[in-house]
Amino acid sequence: MVLLAEENEPPVTTKWPRVTKFILSACAAAVAEIVTFPLDLTKTRLQIQGETALCRHGDGGHKGTPYRGMLSTAAGIVREEGLFRLWQGATPAIYRHVVYSGVRMVSYEQLRESMLGRNEDTTFPFWKSVLAGMLAGAIGQFFASPTDLVKVQMQMEGRRRLEGKPPRIRGVYHAFVKIISEGGIRGLWAGWVPNVQRAALVNLGDLTTYDTMKHFLLRNTSVEDNYICHGLSSISSGLIAAILGTPADVVKTRIMNQPRDAHGRGLLYRSSTDCLIQSVKGEGFISLYKGFIPTWMRMAPWSLTFWLTFEQIRRMIGVSSF
């Protein structure tokens, strides 16, 4: 399928190398990640505080927790650790999105256009979009899980210093080396199950909602395929992604941040299910939505920044709209 290009714009085509698509997806994701990363750090800190299993282990929990809500958490980080600590862990986060967003975007369009197929009128059955979104997110997150593990541990280093605890890691390279020395290569995938579960749910909200909403607007309203359409679709996708993904994100964060024995096994939780049960029993169901507000506030601008950047890059180099 070839779309008509506007005057003075490069010809538009849907056929383009997967490597190029991977690079463009990674670039758009890196821009979105840098812009919204302070909200991700705030969300991670909120998800850990009040953790009953950590309190029983004698490694924190309710005692000595200096933060309560989103604003006080962010303000406390700036006041006690410095402004630029809001970007602590940004390097592995960018590495993660280079892998994660690149793989998920390539996978989604491959599933959508090749395996599942579109009808000639460009409509795309919703159930196929759901399946493609969840599979693409799961595949992308599985490959990116080691960088996510490093990101979470780096994000918690500032709090450990405030609590008088020795640092666990000194940087990205040291984090990878330490994880491998304690748990081997398999240790890099600690927490990958809830991570993949979260990614499947998030991409059900993000990719599926964006794709469905965008083409609904194009088919049923007078909105054209421009930044207005992309903005409305991305705002919707950010909200749904936050609602579906936050519980799995809380479980993922706690499993990745838990202390480990000499063999790399977690000392607090046996599995993601065990973490889920302990969290609900000890803190109530609402604990699964700790950090929801910064998660939502991050996902909305993240989705907006990513999709606007991604769509504009595609248009600039003459590739068809997503």
Side-chain angles (χ1 to χ4, degrees):
M1 178 179 67
V2 177
L3 305 179
L4 295 177
E6 297 181 8
E7 189 176 357
N8 298 325
E9 287 191 355
V12 177
T13 179
T14 60
K15 302 297 183 182
W16 53 310
R18 293 190 184 92
V19 173
T20 304
K21 179 178 174 181
F22 182 97
I23 293 172
L24 296 183
S25 301
C27 289
V31 172
E33 192 70 10
I34 292 171
V35 170
T36 63
F37 190 79
L39 285 168
D40 185 62
L41 176 64
T42 302
K43 174 262 298 182
T44 301
R45 296 286 182 91
L46 284 170
Q47 289 174 339
I48 294 298
Q49 71 178 26
E51 189 175 1
T52 55
L54 200 61
C55 201
R56 288 196 301 270
H57 188 261
D59 195 24
H62 295 283
K63 185 180 293 186
T65 300
Y67 311 134
R68 291 296 180 268
M70 181 189 72
L71 294 179
S72 60
T73 298
I77 293 170
V78 173
R79 182 176 63 253
E80 299 170 17
E81 302 174 43
L83 176 63
F84 292 106
R85 289 294 180 179
L86 289 173
W87 280 268
Q88 183 170 270
T91 299
I94 293 174
Y95 292 163
R96 170 187 178 263
H97 267 289
V98 167
V99 178
Y100 170 64
S101 290
V103 172
R104 75 174 181 133
M105 297 304 294
V106 171
S107 300
Y108 183 79
E109 283 203 62
Q110 180 66 28
L111 289 167
R112 186 181 71 174
E113 305 294 344
S114 300
M115 288 178 58
L116 301 176
R118 270 185 184 274
N119 300 329
E120 290 183 0
D121 62 354
T122 71
T123 59
F124 192 50
F126 180 70
W127 72 268
K128 290 184 177 182
S129 184
V130 169
L131 180 60
M134 295 184 74
L135 284 174
I139 293 169
Q141 187 56 66
F142 177 78
F143 285 104
S145 196
T147 55
D148 212 14
L149 175 62
V150 172
K151 182 196 78 170
V152 168
Q153 293 194 1
M154 288 188 67
Q155 286 178 326
M156 295 308 299
E157 284 303 296
R159 176 176 163 179
R160 288 180 64 83
R161 283 194 295 270
L162 288 176
E163 294 173 348
K165 299 173 184 175
R168 292 182 297 189
I169 51 179
R170 297 189 296 271
V172 177
Y173 175 76
H174 179 247
F176 277 111
V177 172
K178 182 174 183 292
I179 292 169
I180 293 174
S181 67
E182 292 178 349
I185 295 296
R186 289 182 61 185
L188 291 172
W189 271 267
W192 73 269
V193 174
N195 221 1
V196 168
Q197 292 169 341
R198 171 191 176 273
L201 292 171
V202 165
N203 281 278
L204 170 59
D206 186 22
L207 285 174
T208 302
T209 302
Y210 180 86
D211 197 16
T212 303
M213 178 63 73
K214 175 183 173 180
H215 290 93
F216 173 83
L217 292 173
L218 293 177
R219 288 194 306 269
N220 298 285
T221 71
S222 59
V223 175
E224 298 181 355
D225 191 359
N226 54 25
Y227 68 92
I228 296 177
C229 177
H230 305 157
L232 291 173
S233 302
S234 63
I235 290 172
S236 302
S237 68
L239 173 60
I240 301 301
I243 292 173
L244 293 176
T246 298
D249 192 37
V250 170
V251 173
K252 178 265 296 186
T253 297
R254 292 184 171 192
I255 286 181
M256 287 185 165
N257 185 64
Q258 68 176 323
R260 299 184 179 275
D261 61 19
H263 302 288
R265 291 189 293 263
L267 298 176
L268 304 182
Y269 311 111
R270 296 187 301 274
S271 64
S272 57
T273 302
D274 182 45
C275 179
L276 177 70
I277 293 172
Q278 286 196 49
S279 297
V280 173
K281 281 186 175 180
E283 305 161 58
F285 178 79
I286 198 66
S287 68
L288 298 178
Y289 279 89
K290 282 187 174 181
F292 173 77
I293 297 299
T295 298
W296 179 25
M297 290 183 66
R298 177 177 185 257
M299 280 188 172
W302 195 99
S303 293
L304 182 64
T305 304
F306 173 79
W307 287 112
L308 288 178
T309 303
F310 185 58
E311 296 273 21
Q312 289 304 311
I313 291 176
R314 291 173 71 118
R315 178 169 294 182
M316 287 170 57
I317 68 171
V319 176
S320 65
S321 180
F322 179 78

